[in-house]
C-alpha cells in the first residue's frame, strides 16, 4: 500500500515532468554556430515571445544557459540576416541582460525590435556571447518569421531572376 509520502513524491515528480515538457514544447529550435566546439557557456534552450516575431512590436528571446565560469562582464552580439542579406546588428552589455556575476545556470533575455517597415518573411539571427577579454563564450543561430511588417512577403530567390 502506498504511503502518503510516496504519493506526494510521485505527484511532485509528475508535476515537475509536466512543467519540463511544457517548457520544452515552447522552446525554439537553434543550432550552435560551430557544432564541434566546446563553448564555455552551454546553451540548453531559447524561448521566443511571441513565437512569431512581429514588426514594430517588442519581441523577446530568452537564452537558457549554464557555465562553470564566472561571467562578470561581456557582450551579446546579435546579427540578423534575410537570406544572404545583412539586415541589422547590435551589441549589448551582457550584465544588462542577466544578473552578473553569472555562474552555473543563468538566463539572458534580449529584446529585439524589428521595424514595421521590414518585409514579412524568413529571417535568421546569430547570437554570440563574448567575455570580458572578447573571448567567445557561446554562439547560436536560429530562424524566425517576421509578420506585421510592410505586408510584403520577401522571397529572396525571386530577387535574382532576370
Amino acid at each position: 500500500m502506498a504511503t502518503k509520502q510516496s504519493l506526494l513524491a510521485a505527484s511532485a515528480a509528475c508535476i515537475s515532468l509536466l512543467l519540463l515538457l511544457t517548457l520544452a514544447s515552447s522552446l525554439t529550435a537553434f543550432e550552435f554556430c560551430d557544432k564541434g566546439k566546446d563553448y564555455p557557456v552551454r546553451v540548453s534552450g531559447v524561448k521566443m515571445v511571441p513565437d512569431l516575431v512581429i514588426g514594430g512590436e517588442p519581441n523577446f528571446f530568452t537564452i537558457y544557459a549554464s557555465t562553470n565560469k564566472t561571467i562578470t562582464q561581456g557582450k551579446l552580439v546579435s546579427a540578423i540576416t534575410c537570406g544572404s542579406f545583412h539586415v541589422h546588428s547590435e551589441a549589448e552589455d551582457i550584465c544588462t541582460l542577466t544578473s552578473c556575476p553569472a555562474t552555473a545556470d543563468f538566463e539572458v533575455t534580449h529584446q529585439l525590435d524589428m521595424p514595421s517597415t521590414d518585409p514579412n518573411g524568413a529571417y535568421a539571427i546569430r547570437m554570440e556571447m563574448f567575455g570580458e577579454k572578447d573571448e567567445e563564450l557561446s554562439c547560436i543561430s536560429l530562424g524566425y518569421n517576421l509578420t506585421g511588417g510592410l505586408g510584403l512577403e520577401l522571397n529572396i530567390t525571386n530577387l535574382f531572376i532576370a
Side-chain angles (χ1 to χ4, degrees):
M1 178 174 245
T3 67
K4 189 175 185 179
Q5 286 179 329
S6 64
L7 288 174
L8 287 173
S11 296
C14 287
I15 290 170
S16 295
L17 181 60
L18 286 173
L19 289 173
L20 182 61
L21 290 173
T22 301
L23 177 63
S25 67
S26 65
L27 294 179
T28 302
F30 71 93
E31 293 182 355
F32 288 99
C33 300
D34 183 348
K35 292 175 184 72
K37 187 171 182 176
D38 186 23
Y39 292 104
V41 171
R42 195 77 183 153
V43 175
S44 59
V46 178
K47 184 175 183 179
M48 289 180 8
V49 176
D51 59 1
L52 182 63
V53 176
I54 301 170
E57 295 185 18
N59 302 276
F60 298 91
F61 292 84
T62 300
I63 301 169
Y64 301 95
S66 62
T67 186
N68 58 5
K69 295 180 62 102
T70 299
I71 301 169
T72 57
Q73 61 183 357
K75 62 186 172 188
L76 178 70
V77 177
S78 302
I80 300 168
T81 56
C82 184
S84 60
F85 295 102
H86 174 79
V87 176
H88 176 74
S89 293
E90 60 186 48
E92 292 184 76
D93 179 349
I94 197 79
C95 293
T96 63
L97 306 173
T98 193
S99 297
C100 284
T103 59
D105 296 330
F106 65 100
E107 297 175 12
V108 175
T109 300
H110 170 66
Q111 181 174 336
L112 173 67
D113 296 321
M114 292 290 289
S116 59
T117 55
D118 284 350
N120 293 341
Y123 289 76
I125 185 168
R126 178 181 173 119
M127 295 184 209
E128 293 179 88
M129 207 177 293
F130 295 95
E132 64 182 280
K133 296 178 182 162
D134 276 341
E135 74 275 14
E136 185 178 51
L137 299 176
S138 193
C139 181
I140 60 170
S141 62
L142 56 103
Y144 64 89
N145 288 313
L146 174 70
T147 188
L150 285 176
L152 303 172
E153 291 298 325
L154 186 61
N155 185 341
I156 296 298
T157 56
N158 292 338
L159 292 176
F160 299 103
I161 299 174

PDB file of all heavy atoms in Angstrom, residues 48-69:
ATOM      1  N   MET A  48      11.263  32.239 -27.610  1.00  0.00           N
ATOM      2  CA  MET A  48      10.854  33.494 -28.237  1.00  0.00           C
ATOM      3  C   MET A  48       9.454  33.841 -27.761  1.00  0.00           C
ATOM      4  O   MET A  48       8.577  32.988 -27.724  1.00  0.00           O
ATOM      5  CB  MET A  48      10.827  33.358 -29.763  1.00  0.00           C
ATOM      6  CG  MET A  48      12.165  33.249 -30.389  1.00  0.00           C
ATOM      7  SD  MET A  48      12.183  33.080 -32.218  1.00  0.00           S
ATOM      8  CE  MET A  48      10.562  33.334 -32.777  1.00  0.00           C
ATOM      9  N   VAL A  49       9.251  35.114 -27.401  1.00  0.00           N
ATOM     10  CA  VAL A  49       7.920  35.585 -27.001  1.00  0.00           C
ATOM     11  C   VAL A  49       7.659  36.897 -27.720  1.00  0.00           C
ATOM     12  O   VAL A  49       8.408  37.848 -27.518  1.00  0.00           O
ATOM     13  CB  VAL A  49       7.823  35.768 -25.472  1.00  0.00           C
ATOM     14  CG1 VAL A  49       6.474  36.341 -25.088  1.00  0.00           C
ATOM     15  CG2 VAL A  49       8.086  34.464 -24.744  1.00  0.00           C
ATOM     16  N   PRO A  50       6.650  36.992 -28.567  1.00  0.00           N
ATOM     17  CA  PRO A  50       5.821  35.872 -29.032  1.00  0.00           C
ATOM     18  C   PRO A  50       6.627  34.959 -29.937  1.00  0.00           C
ATOM     19  O   PRO A  50       7.715  35.328 -30.395  1.00  0.00           O
ATOM     20  CB  PRO A  50       4.691  36.568 -29.793  1.00  0.00           C
ATOM     21  CG  PRO A  50       5.272  37.853 -30.260  1.00  0.00           C
ATOM     22  CD  PRO A  50       6.280  38.249 -29.222  1.00  0.00           C
ATOM     23  N   ASP A  51       6.103  33.765 -30.233  1.00  0.00           N
ATOM     24  CA  ASP A  51       6.863  32.822 -31.049  1.00  0.00           C
ATOM     25  C   ASP A  51       6.857  33.192 -32.530  1.00  0.00           C
ATOM     26  O   ASP A  51       7.538  32.571 -33.320  1.00  0.00           O
ATOM     27  CB  ASP A  51       6.392  31.381 -30.835  1.00  0.00           C
ATOM     28  CG  ASP A  51       4.930  31.183 -31.159  1.00  0.00           C
ATOM     29  OD1 ASP A  51       4.268  32.148 -31.563  1.00  0.00           O
ATOM     30  OD2 ASP A  51       4.445  30.045 -31.005  1.00  0.00           O
ATOM     31  N   LEU A  52       6.125  34.205 -32.892  1.00  0.00           N
ATOM     32  CA  LEU A  52       6.162  34.772 -34.238  1.00  0.00           C
ATOM     33  C   LEU A  52       6.579  36.232 -34.075  1.00  0.00           C
ATOM     34  O   LEU A  52       5.887  37.005 -33.407  1.00  0.00           O
ATOM     35  CB  LEU A  52       4.787  34.676 -34.911  1.00  0.00           C
ATOM     36  CG  LEU A  52       4.692  35.197 -36.339  1.00  0.00           C
ATOM     37  CD1 LEU A  52       5.581  34.372 -37.262  1.00  0.00           C
ATOM     38  CD2 LEU A  52       3.264  35.140 -36.827  1.00  0.00           C
ATOM     39  N   VAL A  53       7.726  36.598 -34.625  1.00  0.00           N
ATOM     40  CA  VAL A  53       8.247  37.962 -34.465  1.00  0.00           C
ATOM     41  C   VAL A  53       7.355  38.932 -35.236  1.00  0.00           C
ATOM     42  O   VAL A  53       7.032  38.708 -36.401  1.00  0.00           O
ATOM     43  CB  VAL A  53       9.707  38.046 -34.947  1.00  0.00           C
ATOM     44  CG1 VAL A  53      10.229  39.467 -34.879  1.00  0.00           C
ATOM     45  CG2 VAL A  53      10.582  37.122 -34.103  1.00  0.00           C
ATOM     46  N   ILE A  54       6.949  40.002 -34.563  1.00  0.00           N
ATOM     47  CA  ILE A  54       6.039  40.982 -35.144  1.00  0.00           C
ATOM     48  C   ILE A  54       6.781  42.301 -35.326  1.00  0.00           C
ATOM     49  O   ILE A  54       7.326  42.845 -34.368  1.00  0.00           O
ATOM     50  CB  ILE A  54       4.800  41.170 -34.244  1.00  0.00           C
ATOM     51  CG1 ILE A  54       4.079  39.824 -34.092  1.00  0.00           C
ATOM     52  CG2 ILE A  54       3.876  42.239 -34.802  1.00  0.00           C
ATOM     53  CD1 ILE A  54       2.997  39.808 -33.046  1.00  0.00           C
ATOM     54  N   GLY A  55       6.803  42.782 -36.559  1.00  0.00           N
ATOM     55  CA  GLY A  55       7.470  44.051 -36.851  1.00  0.00           C
ATOM     56  C   GLY A  55       6.778  45.206 -36.150  1.00  0.00           C
ATOM     57  O   GLY A  55       5.563  45.291 -36.108  1.00  0.00           O
ATOM     58  N   GLY A  56       7.585  46.099 -35.560  1.00  0.00           N
ATOM     59  CA  GLY A  56       7.047  47.264 -34.887  1.00  0.00           C
ATOM     60  C   GLY A  56       6.629  47.010 -33.448  1.00  0.00           C
ATOM     61  O   GLY A  56       6.173  47.923 -32.767  1.00  0.00           O
ATOM     62  N   GLU A  57       6.768  45.784 -32.963  1.00  0.00           N
ATOM     63  CA  GLU A  57       6.417  45.447 -31.582  1.00  0.00           C
ATOM     64  C   GLU A  57       7.615  44.785 -30.907  1.00  0.00           C
ATOM     65  O   GLU A  57       8.438  44.165 -31.567  1.00  0.00           O
ATOM     66  CB  GLU A  57       5.220  44.499 -31.551  1.00  0.00           C
ATOM     67  CG  GLU A  57       3.952  45.138 -32.078  1.00  0.00           C
ATOM     68  CD  GLU A  57       2.739  44.225 -31.930  1.00  0.00           C
ATOM     69  OE1 GLU A  57       2.800  43.274 -31.132  1.00  0.00           O
ATOM     70  OE2 GLU A  57       1.751  44.476 -32.623  1.00  0.00           O
ATOM     71  N   PRO A  58       7.705  44.901 -29.563  1.00  0.00           N
ATOM     72  CA  PRO A  58       8.828  44.249 -28.870  1.00  0.00           C
ATOM     73  C   PRO A  58       8.705  42.730 -28.928  1.00  0.00           C
ATOM     74  O   PRO A  58       7.624  42.183 -28.774  1.00  0.00           O
ATOM     75  CB  PRO A  58       8.727  44.767 -27.437  1.00  0.00           C
ATOM     76  CG  PRO A  58       7.353  45.290 -27.287  1.00  0.00           C
ATOM     77  CD  PRO A  58       6.853  45.653 -28.651  1.00  0.00           C
ATOM     78  N   ASN A  59       9.829  42.082 -29.179  1.00  0.00           N
ATOM     79  CA  ASN A  59       9.927  40.629 -29.228  1.00  0.00           C
ATOM     80  C   ASN A  59      11.089  40.236 -28.318  1.00  0.00           C
ATOM     81  O   ASN A  59      12.114  40.912 -28.298  1.00  0.00           O
ATOM     82  CB  ASN A  59      10.191  40.160 -30.660  1.00  0.00           C
ATOM     83  CG  ASN A  59       9.113  40.635 -31.610  1.00  0.00           C
ATOM     84  OD1 ASN A  59       8.078  40.012 -31.732  1.00  0.00           O
ATOM     85  ND2 ASN A  59       9.329  41.765 -32.267  1.00  0.00           N
ATOM     86  N   PHE A  60      10.936  39.167 -27.570  1.00  0.00           N
ATOM     87  CA  PHE A  60      11.944  38.794 -26.585  1.00  0.00           C
ATOM     88  C   PHE A  60      12.489  37.399 -26.853  1.00  0.00           C
ATOM     89  O   PHE A  60      11.748  36.482 -27.169  1.00  0.00           O
ATOM     90  CB  PHE A  60      11.343  38.843 -25.173  1.00  0.00           C
ATOM     91  CG  PHE A  60      10.877  40.213 -24.792  1.00  0.00           C
ATOM     92  CD1 PHE A  60       9.573  40.611 -25.038  1.00  0.00           C
ATOM     93  CD2 PHE A  60      11.743  41.115 -24.206  1.00  0.00           C
ATOM     94  CE1 PHE A  60       9.135  41.882 -24.699  1.00  0.00           C
ATOM     95  CE2 PHE A  60      11.321  42.392 -23.865  1.00  0.00           C
ATOM     96  CZ  PHE A  60      10.007  42.777 -24.109  1.00  0.00           C
ATOM     97  N   PHE A  61      13.810  37.275 -26.728  1.00  0.00           N
ATOM     98  CA  PHE A  61      14.497  35.997 -26.809  1.00  0.00           C
ATOM     99  C   PHE A  61      15.109  35.740 -25.436  1.00  0.00           C
ATOM    100  O   PHE A  61      15.885  36.557 -24.949  1.00  0.00           O
ATOM    101  CB  PHE A  61      15.625  36.040 -27.845  1.00  0.00           C
ATOM    102  CG  PHE A  61      15.152  36.165 -29.256  1.00  0.00           C
ATOM    103  CD1 PHE A  61      14.845  37.398 -29.799  1.00  0.00           C
ATOM    104  CD2 PHE A  61      15.027  35.043 -30.055  1.00  0.00           C
ATOM    105  CE1 PHE A  61      14.415  37.518 -31.108  1.00  0.00           C
ATOM    106  CE2 PHE A  61      14.599  35.153 -31.369  1.00  0.00           C
ATOM    107  CZ  PHE A  61      14.292  36.390 -31.903  1.00  0.00           C
ATOM    108  N   THR A  62      14.764  34.626 -24.813  1.00  0.00           N
ATOM    109  CA  THR A  62      15.392  34.240 -23.554  1.00  0.00           C
ATOM    110  C   THR A  62      16.275  33.034 -23.834  1.00  0.00           C
ATOM    111  O   THR A  62      15.810  32.027 -24.373  1.00  0.00           O
ATOM    112  CB  THR A  62      14.344  33.901 -22.476  1.00  0.00           C
ATOM    113  OG1 THR A  62      13.544  35.061 -22.250  1.00  0.00           O
ATOM    114  CG2 THR A  62      15.017  33.499 -21.175  1.00  0.00           C
ATOM    115  N   ILE A  63      17.552  33.182 -23.501  1.00  0.00           N
ATOM    116  CA  ILE A  63      18.533  32.121 -23.696  1.00  0.00           C
ATOM    117  C   ILE A  63      18.770  31.461 -22.340  1.00  0.00           C
ATOM    118  O   ILE A  63      19.106  32.135 -21.370  1.00  0.00           O
ATOM    119  CB  ILE A  63      19.854  32.695 -24.244  1.00  0.00           C
ATOM    120  CG1 ILE A  63      19.610  33.410 -25.577  1.00  0.00           C
ATOM    121  CG2 ILE A  63      20.898  31.592 -24.390  1.00  0.00           C
ATOM    122  CD1 ILE A  63      20.795  34.233 -26.057  1.00  0.00           C
ATOM    123  N   TYR A  64      18.553  30.147 -22.275  1.00  0.00           N
ATOM    124  CA  TYR A  64      18.801  29.374 -21.061  1.00  0.00           C
ATOM    125  C   TYR A  64      20.189  28.753 -21.202  1.00  0.00           C
ATOM    126  O   TYR A  64      20.452  28.034 -22.173  1.00  0.00           O
ATOM    127  CB  TYR A  64      17.742  28.286 -20.875  1.00  0.00           C
ATOM    128  CG  TYR A  64      16.348  28.866 -20.785  1.00  0.00           C
ATOM    129  CD1 TYR A  64      15.527  28.958 -21.910  1.00  0.00           C
ATOM    130  CD2 TYR A  64      15.868  29.355 -19.573  1.00  0.00           C
ATOM    131  CE1 TYR A  64      14.266  29.507 -21.832  1.00  0.00           C
ATOM    132  CE2 TYR A  64      14.597  29.908 -19.489  1.00  0.00           C
ATOM    133  CZ  TYR A  64      13.803  29.981 -20.617  1.00  0.00           C
ATOM    134  OH  TYR A  64      12.543  30.545 -20.548  1.00  0.00           O
ATOM    135  N   ALA A  65      21.089  29.064 -20.267  1.00  0.00           N
ATOM    136  CA  ALA A  65      22.480  28.653 -20.407  1.00  0.00           C
ATOM    137  C   ALA A  65      23.076  28.222 -19.074  1.00  0.00           C
ATOM    138  O   ALA A  65      22.501  28.464 -18.009  1.00  0.00           O
ATOM    139  CB  ALA A  65      23.295  29.810 -20.986  1.00  0.00           C
ATOM    140  N   SER A  66      24.240  27.606 -19.161  1.00  0.00           N
ATOM    141  CA  SER A  66      24.995  27.236 -17.965  1.00  0.00           C
ATOM    142  C   SER A  66      26.480  27.360 -18.276  1.00  0.00           C
ATOM    143  O   SER A  66      26.897  27.293 -19.436  1.00  0.00           O
ATOM    144  CB  SER A  66      24.659  25.813 -17.519  1.00  0.00           C
ATOM    145  OG  SER A  66      25.021  24.894 -18.524  1.00  0.00           O
ATOM    146  N   THR A  67      27.256  27.566 -17.218  1.00  0.00           N
ATOM    147  CA  THR A  67      28.697  27.688 -17.359  1.00  0.00           C
ATOM    148  C   THR A  67      29.382  27.297 -16.068  1.00  0.00           C
ATOM    149  O   THR A  67      28.769  27.341 -15.005  1.00  0.00           O
ATOM    150  CB  THR A  67      29.098  29.132 -17.757  1.00  0.00           C
ATOM    151  OG1 THR A  67      30.502  29.183 -18.016  1.00  0.00           O
ATOM    152  CG2 THR A  67      28.740  30.123 -16.663  1.00  0.00           C
ATOM    153  N   ASN A  68      30.640  26.914 -16.178  1.00  0.00           N
ATOM    154  CA  ASN A  68      31.430  26.674 -14.976  1.00  0.00           C
ATOM    155  C   ASN A  68      32.375  27.858 -14.729  1.00  0.00           C
ATOM    156  O   ASN A  68      33.206  27.817 -13.851  1.00  0.00           O
ATOM    157  CB  ASN A  68      32.201  25.348 -15.052  1.00  0.00           C
ATOM    158  CG  ASN A  68      33.131  25.299 -16.253  1.00  0.00           C
ATOM    159  OD1 ASN A  68      33.287  26.268 -16.983  1.00  0.00           O
ATOM    160  ND2 ASN A  68      33.740  24.152 -16.457  1.00  0.00           N
ATOM    161  N   LYS A  69      32.232  28.906 -15.533  1.00  0.00           N
ATOM    162  CA  LYS A  69      32.989  30.144 -15.359  1.00  0.00           C
ATOM    163  C   LYS A  69      32.164  31.134 -14.530  1.00  0.00           C
ATOM    164  O   LYS A  69      30.986  30.924 -14.316  1.00  0.00           O
ATOM    165  CB  LYS A  69      33.273  30.797 -16.726  1.00  0.00           C
ATOM    166  CG  LYS A  69      34.178  29.998 -17.633  1.00  0.00           C
ATOM    167  CD  LYS A  69      34.390  30.716 -18.961  1.00  0.00           C
ATOM    168  CE  LYS A  69      35.042  32.033 -18.813  1.00  0.00           C
ATOM    169  NZ  LYS A  69      36.431  32.164 -19.115  1.00  0.00           N
TER     170      LYS A  69
END
